[in-house]
Amino acid sequence: MRLADAARRALDGAGARKVPEDLSALLADAGLADVGEGQAVAADASLALDVPGLTAEQLRDTEDQTVRETFAAGRTVRRGQGCSVRVMAPLSIHQAALDLCAGLAAEGAAPAGRKAYRVYADRTTTASATA
């Protein structure tokens, strides 16, 4: 009993047990946006995805400066014959990059380009479903 009383007094002294009436300030500090009806959505968190080398090469030369800088800062990972680039970026950047490299999946594109686009699209879709 004494330990529980001591813990309770310590929490009360630090003000840790006080909850404000309006929780929006706490949600904003934690990186959460208030959606309404008691639900909160996490901010666009960064995640690491392995992007096929062919896709990454095309995105390093794109006109979008944010995507270009993100992919230039990626880390090259060699596997077998090809390579991947591990990119740490918010999901919105990955989705924008996927839109920019849609030409790889266009009709008349090389089979390697179509596969690289498909692999990156699958990884982005899986990441958005789990996020």
Side-chain angles (χ1 to χ4, degrees):
M1 285 299 245
R2 292 182 186 189
L3 183 59
D5 291 335
R8 197 172 299 122
R9 277 190 225 119
L11 288 173
D12 287 340
R17 294 178 11 146
K18 296 177 185 174
V19 178
E21 292 290 324
D22 184 19
L23 294 178
S24 62
L26 290 177
L27 290 174
D29 290 343
L32 299 172
D34 190 17
V35 175
E37 298 183 22
Q39 296 178 345
V41 176
D44 201 8
S46 291
L47 56 107
L49 285 181
D50 287 344
V51 181
L54 188 63
T55 306
E57 285 176 16
Q58 182 171 353
L59 291 170
R60 283 187 181 130
D61 298 330
T62 189
E63 293 178 7
D64 187 350
Q65 182 179 358
T66 307
V67 173
R68 188 174 57 241
E69 290 174 356
T70 301
F71 279 83
R75 181 177 175 192
T76 303
V77 180
R78 297 237 174 247
R79 291 195 180 111
Q81 286 184 330
C83 69
S84 296
V85 177
R86 186 161 293 144
V87 178
M88 184 71 149
L91 187 58
S92 60
I93 299 287
H94 285 290
Q95 290 170 341
L98 191 61
D99 292 340
L100 289 171
C101 68
L104 289 174
E107 190 173 326
R114 288 194 303 269
K115 181 178 180 184
Y117 178 82
R118 187 175 63 245
V119 167
Y120 186 41
D122 290 344
R123 290 176 183 166
T124 304
T125 304
T126 303
S128 66
T130 58

